[in-house]
Amino acid sequence: MRIKIKNLFTRYSITGRLTILYTTFTFALLLIVNIILFKVITSNLEKEDSQFLRNKINVIRVILQKDDTRKGLEEEIIWEGYALQFTRYFARLIDGKGNIIIETPHMAKLLKPSFFPPPHKNKPDELSKKIKNNSGQTYLLMSAYSDVNKWNKSTKVIQVALDTTYEENIIKNYGEIIILILIGGLIFAGLIGVYIAKKGMEPLKNITEATGNITSSRLNQRIGSMNWPKELTILAKAFDEMLNRLEDSFNRLSQFSADIAHELRTPINNLMGEAEVALSKERSAVDYKRVLESNLEEGQRISVLIESLLFLARAENSEIKLEKTEFNAKIEIEKIIEFYQSSAEEKNIKFIFYGNVNVTADPVLFSRAIINLISNSIKYCKENGEVKILLKQTENNSAEIKIIDNGIGIASEHISKVFDRFYQVDVSRANSIKGTGLGLSIVKSIMELHNGTIDIHSEINKGTSIKLIFPA
């Protein structure tokens, strides 16, 4: 049952829910207040009526004690009821044998002695009850002994009554007024609830309109700078942070698309240009061979570029499964240096090792990362330069590999961007030294796959230091 009610409630809009909650609580508050007032008024009236009859009983007792004559009783019992303008009061005095000594005129027709509760010795003044006759009139009846200290055959019984019909009608009318107040309050609370809910939801409507104006061409817009309520400020900030990420991703995607188009266009144009030149007239076998070798080189460059992009895409989508093993990092790096030895000898570059360490990593990806770094060091190192390779184990048993060259270096303003795809520090260097611009991006992706870190420090004309840390 609770689930059904909950599901039914969740179908309503937030405005509807707020209206229902506000109306319900307002109605409950009105109901509680009016019930309390009704109880208080009813209780006070009953207490006043009971106290009035007790006072009359005490007056009759005093008359009986001081002046046991019929004159005093007639003044109190017969004439007192007529003297009260708005209160119909009745009194009766009965002897020990049950005979009526004196009573208010017409009392015998309205209220017979048997209607009254019998007096009680232990509670002589508190026995009362209400009755309603055939005419619809309501009476409060009370009985008591004339003498509270002794009870014998001569002890008289005092019966008093009060017509409470008027008060009962007042209470009934008040109850009807309460019902009307509750119905009116419910309607009024519902209308006010709708108004308050709509006013309260206006900021949410405004923030919805603001977000609706943001398109792919307007991702630079932000909504957090507007004046929002405190509750929506957090939402606006979170939305702006999401926009920052979307804008960054969108810019990267746009830049990536432009870069890949540019990177592919150059070798394709070279292929087409050389083919057109070769076909423009008859060439010798040597010329055709040279064109084919050039085309093969450009084809290899395109293949490397595509393979690198595919690797980065798989790494970002977590499609690469690591096959980690523990191996000696120095031995693996020496194999890579041996492969690049001829390229290093052309520039008379020396490799210097310091230390040794075992690393837990995927051997293939480890080799790929080191190949990219060694290749860069050779490309950008000066003639007669040197490349230092520092290997050590950190305090938390991670493997630290640092590759330091004394090459041309990188300016500080470019350091934060060297891991971006296709990023070139400057055009002149990019043209003089061929590369895909993806090497450091691949290294960073490999380190992220291993939950490791990569740091770079560089100074112009002093060289570059790159540190890799593979966790244990």
Side-chain angles (χ1 to χ4, degrees):
M1 185 66 182
R2 288 184 178 179
I3 296 176
K4 289 183 179 179
I5 294 174
K6 184 178 180 180
N7 292 337
L8 182 63
F9 187 73
T10 53
R11 293 177 186 174
Y12 293 102
S13 64
I14 297 177
T15 302
R17 296 180 197 179
L18 292 175
T19 301
I20 292 172
L21 290 174
Y22 178 81
T23 304
T24 302
F25 286 122
T26 304
F27 179 77
L29 182 62
L30 284 173
L31 182 63
I32 292 171
V33 170
N34 280 282
I35 288 175
I36 292 173
L37 289 175
F38 184 81
K39 291 290 185 182
V40 169
I41 292 173
T42 304
S43 177
N44 287 339
L45 288 175
E46 289 177 353
K47 288 180 181 179
E48 289 180 3
D49 292 341
S50 297
Q51 190 60 43
F52 175 82
L53 293 180
R54 290 191 183 97
N55 290 338
K56 290 302 178 181
I57 289 173
N58 289 332
V59 169
I60 294 174
R61 281 174 177 165
V62 171
I63 293 173
L64 290 173
Q65 290 175 3
K66 294 184 176 181
D67 183 14
D68 193 8
T69 62
R70 190 173 182 85
K71 181 180 179 182
L73 292 173
E74 287 179 353
E75 290 179 359
E76 174 60 30
I77 295 176
I78 296 176
W79 303 113
E80 182 70 14
Y82 290 110
L84 297 175
Q85 184 177 0
F86 298 104
T87 305
R88 293 196 64 187
Y89 154 66
F90 302 90
R92 176 185 288 132
L93 187 63
I94 302 174
D95 61 18
K97 297 179 180 181
N99 299 317
I100 298 175
I101 299 174
I102 189 172
E103 66 180 3
T104 304
H106 311 298
M107 184 178 179
K109 294 180 180 180
L110 296 173
L111 302 168
K112 296 179 180 180
S114 59
F115 291 174
F116 287 79
H120 198 280
K121 295 180 180 180
N122 297 327
K123 297 181 179 180
D125 294 341
E126 297 181 9
L127 293 175
S128 61
K129 72 173 184 179
K130 277 191 175 183
I131 64 167
K132 193 171 186 179
N133 61 15
N134 296 330
S135 301
Q137 292 177 306
T138 306
Y139 296 92
L140 177 64
L141 310 180
M142 188 175 291
S143 299
Y145 286 108
S146 61
D147 193 337
V148 297
N149 296 317
K150 61 180 180 178
W151 293 271
N152 49 48
K153 293 181 179 179
S154 62
T155 303
K156 300 177 179 65
V157 175
I158 302 172
Q159 293 181 343
V160 291
L162 182 66
D163 188 351
T164 59
T165 305
Y166 179 74
E167 294 175 356
E168 291 292 329
N169 290 333
I170 291 177
I171 293 174
K172 181 181 178 181
N173 292 335
Y174 182 68
E176 293 174 352
I177 292 173
I178 287 177
I179 293 173
L180 293 176
I181 290 174
L182 290 175
I183 294 173
L186 182 64
I187 297 172
F188 182 75
L191 296 175
I192 294 296
V194 171
Y195 176 77
I196 292 175
K198 286 186 175 180
K199 291 296 291 183
M201 294 298 293
E202 270 188 10
L204 191 58
K205 180 181 178 182
N206 295 335
I207 202 172
T208 303
E209 292 176 353
T211 55
N213 293 329
I214 298 174
T215 61
S216 59
S217 60
R218 301 169 68 181
L219 286 175
N220 60 328
Q221 291 190 358
R222 297 294 181 268
I223 62 174
S225 58
M226 304 178 186
N227 293 324
W228 302 111
K230 185 177 179 180
E231 295 81 2
L232 292 182
T233 301
I234 300 174
L235 176 62
K237 288 182 178 178
F239 189 81
D240 282 349
E241 291 174 0
M242 181 188 71
L243 286 177
N244 291 334
R245 295 191 295 270
L246 285 174
E247 185 179 17
D248 181 66
S249 299
F250 192 80
N251 290 338
R252 285 176 178 271
L253 182 61
S254 299
Q255 187 63 41
F256 178 75
S257 301
D259 289 339
I260 193 172
H262 178 269
E263 292 298 324
L264 287 175
R265 182 176 58 193
T266 301
I268 289 174
N269 286 338
N270 290 340
L271 289 172
M272 292 176 63
E274 290 184 352
E276 288 174 356
V277 171
L279 294 173
S280 63
K281 64 178 182 178
E282 291 292 332
R283 304 284 178 180
S284 65
V286 175
D287 290 335
Y288 285 124
K289 183 180 179 181
R290 183 187 58 79
V291 170
L292 289 175
E293 288 175 347
S294 177
N295 287 350
L296 180 61
E297 183 180 347
E298 293 295 341
Q300 289 175 342
R301 184 181 176 188
I302 293 174
S303 177
V304 171
L305 176 63
I306 293 174
E307 195 277 333
S308 298
L309 290 172
L310 289 174
F311 174 84
L312 290 172
R314 289 196 301 268
E316 286 185 350
N317 295 323
S318 302
E319 294 179 3
I320 298 177
K321 294 182 179 180
L322 299 181
E323 297 180 2
K324 290 185 179 181
T325 58
E326 185 177 351
F327 55 89
N328 187 275
K330 184 176 181 180
I331 295 175
E332 293 296 323
I333 296 174
E334 284 177 341
K335 293 178 183 178
I336 296 169
I337 291 175
E338 185 179 351
F339 177 80
Y340 281 98
Q341 193 64 47
S342 59
S343 299
E345 288 176 353
E346 290 179 2
K347 300 174 72 174
N348 197 24
I349 296 173
K350 295 180 180 179
F351 290 93
I352 304 172
F353 273 96
Y354 294 92
N356 197 355
V357 70
N358 286 341
V359 63
T360 301
D362 186 305
V364 176
L365 296 183
F366 175 83
S367 298
R368 184 163 191 170
I370 299 300
I371 286 171
N372 285 336
L373 297 180
I374 295 295
S375 175
N376 282 347
S377 295
I378 294 173
K379 285 178 184 177
Y380 301 113
C381 200
K382 299 176 181 177
E383 295 283 344
N384 302 316
E386 64 178 22
V387 178
K388 297 178 182 178
I389 301 169
L390 284 65
L391 308 173
K392 72 173 185 177
Q393 191 173 30
T394 62
E395 294 180 355
N396 60 355
N397 295 323
S398 296
E400 180 181 307
I401 301 170
K402 186 179 289 186
I403 300 175
I404 306 171
D405 65 58
N406 58 352
I408 59 178
I410 304 170
S412 58
E413 63 267 21
H414 298 293
I415 293 293
S416 62
K417 300 178 182 178
V418 294
F419 296 110
D420 295 344
R421 298 174 186 178
F422 300 116
Y423 184 77
Q424 302 288 351
V425 174
D426 61 70
V427 177
S428 61
R429 189 169 77 167
N431 292 332
S432 62
I433 303 174
K434 290 185 178 181
T436 61
L438 297 172
L440 289 178
S441 298
I442 291 174
V443 175
K444 184 181 179 183
S445 296
I446 291 173
M447 296 309 298
E448 289 175 349
L449 287 171
H450 286 83
N451 295 320
T453 59
I454 178 171
D455 293 316
I456 182 169
H457 299 280
S458 186
E459 292 184 41
I460 293 293
N461 297 323
K462 289 187 178 181
T464 302
S465 171
I466 296 179
K467 181 175 66 175
L468 307 179
I469 295 181
F470 289 86

